[in-house]
Amino acid sequence: MESFALHSLSTTASFSHHPSRFSLLRRISSRSPPSTISLPSLRSHSVQPLTFPLLKPIPRFSTTRIAAAPRDDVPPTSPPPPSTQPPQGAKLVPLILSISVGLILRFAVSVPEGVTPQGWQLLSIFLSTIAGLVLSPLPVGAWAFMGLTASIVTKTLSFSAAFSAFTSEVIWLIVISFFFARGFVKTGLGDRIATYFVKWLGKSTLGLSYGLTISEALIAPAMPSTTARAGGIFLPIIKSLSLSAGSKPGDSSSRKLGSYLIQSQFQCAGNSSALFLTAAAQNLLCLKLAEELGVVIANPWVSWFKAASLPAIISLLCTPFILYKLYPPETKDTPDAPGIAALKLKQMGPVTKNEWIMVGTMLLAVTLWICGETLGIPSVVAAMIGLSILLLLGVLNWDDCLSEKSAWDTLAWFAVLVGMAGQLTNLGVVTWMSDCVAKVLQSLSLSWPAAFGLLQAGYFFIHYLFASQTGHVGALFSAFLAMNIAAGVPGVLAALALAYNTNLFGALTHYSSGQAAVYYGAGYVDLPDVFKIGFVMATINAIIWGVVGTFWWKFLGLY
């Protein structure tokens, strides 16, 4: 869940989706001096933050007060009242609501025919767990652990069955992918790649947008966190370029450059994540859940890329231009941007040894992901080889891995959800649900293409109720895939389409994904514009993926 764990950038920097905190993000981001835009907690102390020193910092007056001599006629100042501690423990109302969902299902609804009492009890625990992911009575990892504990205490699952998913190859591949993302940020390689594209394509605002979009698409397969890419690489670049052009967050000048670049990068990020299997952790979770329902995709990295390539690339090429017309920047030309980027590259110096190691390691990992099936090397083993190289050569150290809280948090709660979903399948609950949906669809006399479109649209737009992409996957992916299969939709087509939609709906709102919180928190985009552009671009993406995908997937033999 990118808002809860997945999209945490590091142990010291994380972005929450909660709307009440966006103003805080905006205030924090606006306090940085214009000449230095950086996210220090994302970087090693040895790597210079991305800066474009065009504006000189404004001198600040010291806030230190000169001690005055004591006066007899002035009473002593009373000490400030002690600060109140924030409430600890679970939030009472969300806790009651989350638990009530499961209790009502368990005790107020009779067990339907075809479902065992054990399966029905596990479904009630699972729904309470999902409700807690949405309502957040506790952090997601803690709440998932409570759901796991409840399943064991009630003897719904044995200890070994409850923890079975912790050995999942896919989940460990997700964990190792977080470590790769840290390596990109720590070495500064991501900054260097993006800055080169600014230098090559940044003479106009539209070219600048395309340069940032292309660089993210190239970085994405080796940096599988959209939030990390947004907060660690692209937001600092966009803010620096915007400030150098006189485009400041929170005032009328934001529309000069910053608003357009933010919206363009935000809307393109979903297509970059959909293009590669390893570009976002939720992609791997989707395939794991599909396997639980018997939908196995051969050579997953290549199959994913082939199916996504044409619609994703067309969307990436169209999105900056469409937004250039729908949400035009006031500044059309940015002749200084290439020079600023060149100066930054000069300050960065030649490519370091660690950057070369990072490049070589990721090329090796991607090659093994592509050819792994032929060589007999699973994807997780390829990732383990890459991480071992980074550790042996000192690009990462074990403290870097231990401090990547988001990785370990993801391991905990992903494994809980995947384990519960797998047991629901084993106990026949998912089969029962899919049979019920199949009967309803048959009564409506819908063909499988019509049912496919209806279910995909429902899965997409229900994300307005979610503050996380991976939370959405954990809650609804299995159910919607089962509905698709019950309606006669080819399993691989249904699984891939749902997975692609999981990336695309991350730009619907300011709370729909981790990167949404990052980009909105920069202060360049007004909230009504986020919702308006989010809906318009969602519709355009649906048309592009629907029309292009229909012919492309038919050509590939997916149906």
Side-chain angles (χ1 to χ4, degrees):
M1 178 178 296
E2 299 219 356
S3 63
F4 296 110
L6 178 71
H7 280 175
S8 297
L9 301 181
S10 68
T11 60
T12 57
S14 63
F15 296 88
S16 170
H17 284 210
H18 199 287
S20 65
R21 298 180 185 171
F22 291 138
S23 59
L24 177 60
L25 286 170
R26 183 177 302 175
R27 290 196 298 270
I28 293 173
S29 63
S30 63
R31 291 174 186 169
S32 299
S35 60
T36 303
I37 306 299
S38 64
L39 294 177
S41 59
L42 294 173
R43 306 173 187 277
S44 165
H45 294 295
S46 62
V47 179
Q48 292 295 324
L50 180 67
T51 60
F52 292 106
L54 187 68
L55 300 178
K56 295 182 178 180
I58 301 173
R60 299 186 179 183
F61 294 101
S62 172
T63 56
T64 305
R65 296 187 177 182
I66 302 175
R71 292 176 53 185
D72 295 336
D73 57 338
V74 178
T77 305
S78 59
S83 59
T84 58
Q85 292 289 335
Q88 297 181 348
K91 302 172 187 175
L92 186 58
V93 174
L95 176 66
I96 294 173
L97 292 175
S98 300
I99 295 176
S100 298
V101 170
L103 291 177
I104 290 172
L105 181 71
R106 177 65 182 85
F107 297 106
V109 181
S110 58
V111 180
E113 185 179 353
V115 178
T116 64
Q118 180 189 7
W120 196 247
Q121 184 160 291
L122 179 59
L123 179 61
S124 66
I125 296 173
F126 181 73
L127 290 181
S128 280
T129 304
I130 296 302
L133 298 185
V134 177
L135 300 175
S136 299
L138 285 172
V140 61
W143 186 252
F145 182 79
M146 290 188 63
L148 185 70
T149 302
S151 69
I152 298 174
V153 170
T154 58
K155 298 184 178 180
T156 307
L157 295 176
S158 65
F159 186 89
S160 58
F163 280 85
S164 60
F166 281 83
T167 60
S168 167
E169 292 184 3
V170 171
I171 293 176
W172 279 100
L173 178 57
I174 293 171
V175 172
I176 296 173
S177 296
F178 277 103
F179 303 149
F180 285 161
R182 175 172 280 266
F184 260 81
V185 175
K186 181 179 179 180
T187 62
L189 179 61
D191 280 347
R192 187 181 296 274
I193 293 173
T195 306
Y196 265 114
F197 277 95
V198 172
K199 177 183 176 182
W200 295 332
L201 300 175
K203 290 184 178 180
S204 68
T205 301
L206 185 60
L208 190 59
S209 178
Y210 275 112
L212 294 171
T213 297
I214 294 171
S215 61
E216 178 163 12
L218 291 177
I219 293 171
M223 193 173 183
S225 170
T226 317
T227 307
R229 296 196 301 267
I233 296 176
F234 293 100
L235 181 61
I237 293 176
I238 290 172
K239 291 188 71 174
S240 296
L241 290 169
S242 299
L243 289 171
S244 70
S247 180
K248 301 177 182 178
D251 65 18
S252 58
S253 67
S254 63
R255 289 299 300 269
K256 284 185 176 181
L257 184 63
S259 296
Y260 167 73
L261 291 181
I262 289 286
Q263 283 280 25
S264 179
Q265 200 68 20
F266 178 34
Q267 294 297 330
C268 288
N271 285 289
S272 296
S273 295
L275 185 56
F276 301 100
L277 174 61
T278 51
Q282 65 264 17
N283 297 347
L284 300 163
L285 178 61
C286 289
L287 293 197
K288 178 60 180 177
L289 293 176
E291 286 183 17
E292 299 287 348
L293 293 177
V295 180
V296 179
I297 300 175
N299 200 357
W301 203 96
V302 175
S303 298
W304 178 290
F305 175 73
K306 284 168 59 179
S309 57
L310 192 58
I313 290 172
I314 290 177
S315 289
L316 285 171
L317 294 176
C318 291
T319 297
F321 180 77
I322 292 172
L323 286 173
Y324 192 77
K325 298 297 183 182
L326 294 179
Y327 195 72
E330 295 174 2
T331 301
K332 307 295 183 182
D333 297 314
T334 54
D336 295 334
I340 297 173
L343 179 60
K344 173 57 186 174
L345 290 169
K346 184 178 180 180
Q347 292 176 345
M348 294 176 73
V351 179
T352 64
K353 181 187 74 173
N354 283 351
E355 287 178 272
W356 281 120
I357 295 172
M358 195 74 206
V359 170
T361 302
M362 295 318 304
L363 287 176
L364 174 63
V366 172
T367 300
L368 291 177
W369 286 333
I370 294 172
C371 306
E373 187 170 288
T374 303
L375 300 175
I377 301 177
S379 296
V380 67
V381 176
M384 292 170 67
I385 293 171
L387 178 60
S388 298
I389 292 172
L390 296 179
L391 290 170
L392 284 171
L393 299 181
V395 176
L396 292 175
N397 55 55
W398 191 239
D399 284 339
D400 291 325
C401 299
L402 291 176
S403 62
E404 193 66 36
K405 286 185 179 179
S406 56
W408 304 112
D409 189 48
T410 299
L411 169 66
W413 80 268
F414 265 20
V416 171
L417 286 185
V418 170
M420 285 188 180
Q423 293 301 320
L424 286 173
T425 302
N426 295 337
L427 294 172
V429 176
V430 174
T431 302
W432 167 77
M433 293 174 61
S434 62
D435 289 342
C436 293
V437 173
K439 292 177 182 178
V440 173
L441 294 176
Q442 288 174 1
S443 67
L444 297 175
S445 300
L446 291 177
S447 62
W448 77 256
F452 173 73
L454 182 64
L455 291 171
Q456 293 292 331
Y459 179 78
F460 189 99
F461 286 106
I462 203 173
H463 191 66
Y464 277 108
L465 303 178
F466 282 84
S468 157
Q469 290 167 286
T470 47
H472 188 148
V473 171
L476 297 177
F477 184 89
S478 295
F480 270 83
L481 179 56
M483 294 178 200
N484 275 270
I485 295 173
V489 182
V492 173
L493 173 64
L496 288 176
L498 289 171
Y500 296 148
N501 275 326
T502 300
N503 291 287
L504 297 177
F505 59 46
L508 271 177
T509 67
H510 63 301
Y511 58 84
S512 57
S513 60
Q515 66 269 24
V518 173
Y519 285 128
Y520 177 71
Y524 278 97
V525 183
D526 295 328
L527 190 57
D529 290 333
V530 174
F531 277 87
K532 180 176 67 176
I533 297 298
F535 179 80
V536 170
M537 291 308 302
T539 304
I540 292 172
N541 274 319
I543 293 172
I544 293 174
W545 279 79
V547 174
V548 176
T550 297
F551 295 100
W552 182 239
W553 297 333
K554 179 68 173 178
F555 174 77
L556 294 177
L558 294 183
Y559 68 94

